[in-house]
Amino acid sequence: MVTSPAPAARPQDRPVYVIGGGPGGLAVAAALRRRGVRAVVLEKSDRVAASWRRHYDRLHLHTTRTLSALPGLAIPRAFGRWVSRDDVVRYLEMYAEHHELEIVTGVEVSRVERTDDGWLVRASGGRELAARAVVVATGFNHTPRLPDWPGRASYAGDLLHASEYRNAGPYEGRDVLVVGVGNTGAEIAVDLAEGGAARVRLAVRTAPHIVRRSTAGWPAQLNGILCRRLPVRLVDALARPMARLAVPDLSERGLPRPTTGLYSRAREGAIPVQDVGLIDAIQAGKVEPVAAVESFDDDKVVLADGTRVVSDVVIAATGYVRALENLVGHLGVLDETGRPATRGGRPHRSAPGLYFTGYTNPLSGMLRELALDARRIARAVTRGSGGGWSRPAAEPLMDTAPRP
């Protein structure tokens, strides 16, 4: 008796592999599942929301609860308007359970390759996974970036990246220099000042735009949403008088007003600092802005203005890199900064079926954009390959109340 080999799976019958179990990956998987497409989330850690679990303790969303929900499940009202880090983690766990997502943990993807009829995902354990499409959602804050300052290796004090900071407890009574005045650096500086650090300095290279998180109940996020389609010059012009009304001049305290436009800077990737105590801390002298860090000299930190300061601890809030080069760099889909050249439902012309989400930090709020990207990607996948794995029809994917 001659047996014929089983026919190879058709491309449209293969799953879509989603790389990353953070909010972006979970949202895409839920949107795909709603459209009858099997989506498998590959997460290198042992549970979802791994990066959120590592953030500092006092972190809260700077976007409102109602504008931060992912498709298909509202964030519980009990979590408050500005959701805490721990509640974001709880929400993402609820989200994965609510949508019955297929998640494989402990699997790290090393490379994504094109094949004649789809995609091949190479992962830990020698796995080679044939995919209908691939969604890369490994996160904006993937790999900590620590500048290679001259003399850094011989610095006598403690030097750590902001990703290692949890709370002010270990720094009580110590002199701390925070490097970088993005939202992370600003909030860590405030946390240290309120948590008992003996002295807190904040190294600033370029004066940031500071906005109130909410004014008379109106969140700054709504301004970001409203201005997205307006001309950059118009938004810059409107933002200047608004900033002068809402934010005091801190020049005498070492933090001058920025000379560049708010939206111009945002388009370059420099998101405004949302005030969660920084203004008051600078005015009270609890946080001292100083010049940018240039180098280290034994126990001293050399600043751009020539000043040498002695600090017990330096915390570098100097951002992250996406670290996508090994994964997809060979496909020609990254720009000169190492970020995806396309996003959402628009694959790169050289890589149809490969999608990215979560590599921008927009004024309108990252979680909101992840939700929009998820719907776009799901539409693009179903349009691009027609049909596919199916399951019983589901209720419409709308923002429902969470299950008890």
Side-chain angles (χ1 to χ4, degrees):
M1 179 178 178
V2 179
T3 58
S4 300
R10 296 176 303 169
Q12 62 265 36
D13 294 332
R14 298 169 187 162
V16 174
Y17 283 102
V18 181
I19 307 171
L26 298 181
V28 170
L32 285 167
R33 192 174 193 277
R34 169 67 189 96
R35 286 177 169 262
V37 177
R38 183 185 174 203
V40 180
V41 178
L42 303 177
E43 168 54 46
K44 69 177 181 179
S45 71
D46 60 352
R47 48 190 174 173
V48 300
S51 63
W52 277 93
R53 298 174 194 274
R54 295 192 296 267
H55 286 313
Y56 49 92
D57 294 349
R58 74 175 279 155
L59 178 65
H60 284 68
L61 292 181
H62 291 165
T63 55
T64 65
R65 172 179 55 82
T66 54
L67 292 174
S68 301
L70 302 179
L73 187 67
I75 299 176
R77 183 182 295 272
F79 288 1
R81 191 183 198 198
W82 311 105
V83 184
S84 71
R85 177 205 64 185
D86 289 346
D87 283 338
V88 170
V89 172
R90 288 172 59 195
Y91 170 67
L92 294 178
E93 292 173 337
M94 293 165 55
Y95 190 84
E97 182 179 357
H98 178 78
H99 290 296
E100 300 177 345
L101 300 182
E102 188 175 348
I103 301 170
V104 183
T105 58
V107 176
E108 184 170 7
V109 177
S110 57
R111 191 173 175 90
V112 176
E113 298 176 356
R114 285 200 69 178
T115 63
D116 291 339
D117 58 357
W119 291 91
L120 180 69
V121 177
R122 298 187 184 275
S124 54
R127 296 175 177 86
E128 294 186 351
L129 308 172
R132 165 182 177 174
V134 176
V135 182
V136 181
T138 52
F140 190 83
N141 296 339
H142 187 275
T143 302
R145 186 184 75 86
L146 190 63
D148 189 19
W149 288 298
R152 189 187 81 183
S154 60
Y155 176 55
D158 295 333
L159 173 62
L160 64 148
H161 189 270
S163 60
E164 301 175 67
Y165 179 88
R166 295 295 173 268
N167 56 62
Y171 311 101
E172 185 175 356
R174 305 183 75 185
D175 186 311
V176 186
L177 172 64
V178 180
V179 184
V181 69
N183 278 294
T184 296
E187 194 155 353
I188 287 176
V190 172
D191 195 43
L192 289 163
E194 294 177 352
R199 186 175 186 178
V200 181
R201 282 174 280 210
L202 181 60
V204 179
R205 183 170 298 279
T206 304
H209 288 273
I210 302 175
V211 298
R212 301 288 188 179
R213 186 171 65 174
S214 179
T215 302
W218 180 269
Q221 181 186 8
L222 285 177
N223 291 334
I225 294 171
L226 293 173
C227 75
R228 288 192 64 196
R229 300 188 184 280
L230 295 177
V232 173
R233 288 185 178 180
L234 175 60
V235 177
D236 285 348
L238 293 173
R240 290 189 189 97
M242 291 176 62
R244 292 185 179 277
L245 289 172
V247 178
D249 188 352
L250 301 172
S251 299
E252 293 186 358
R253 291 287 183 176
L255 190 63
R257 292 190 185 277
T259 57
T260 53
L262 183 149
Y263 201 18
S264 297
R265 290 281 305 281
R267 292 287 292 269
E268 296 170 357
I271 297 300
V273 172
Q274 294 210 24
D275 178 47
V276 288
L278 180 65
I279 293 173
D280 289 344
I282 291 177
Q283 287 182 316
K286 295 179 179 179
V287 172
E288 308 168 41
V290 296
V293 171
E294 291 293 314
S295 62
F296 290 83
D297 184 8
D298 294 329
D299 63 337
K300 297 180 179 63
V301 184
V302 183
L303 305 181
D305 61 1
T307 305
R308 293 170 178 258
V309 301
V310 178
S311 290
D312 302 316
V313 183
V314 174
I315 300 175
T318 46
Y320 297 78
V321 294
R322 279 13 92 190
L324 293 170
E325 287 78 8
N326 291 335
L327 186 67
V328 296
H330 57 288
L331 298 171
V333 295
L334 304 180
D335 65 17
E336 63 278 2
T337 69
R339 298 188 187 188
T342 60
R343 53 163 285 199
R346 297 182 297 108
H348 195 279
R349 62 180 178 275
S350 68
L354 179 64
Y355 303 91
F356 296 89
T357 183
Y359 297 98
T360 60
N361 193 11
L363 290 174
S364 51
M366 180 175 285
L367 290 175
R368 179 179 181 275
E369 292 303 314
L370 291 177
L372 295 173
D373 273 357
R375 296 185 176 99
R376 293 168 183 147
I377 291 171
R379 285 196 298 269
V381 169
T382 52
R383 282 199 308 264
S385 49
W389 175 83
S390 63
R391 62 180 179 85
E395 294 299 317
L397 193 61
M398 55 190 295
D399 291 332
T400 60
R403 291 176 176 175

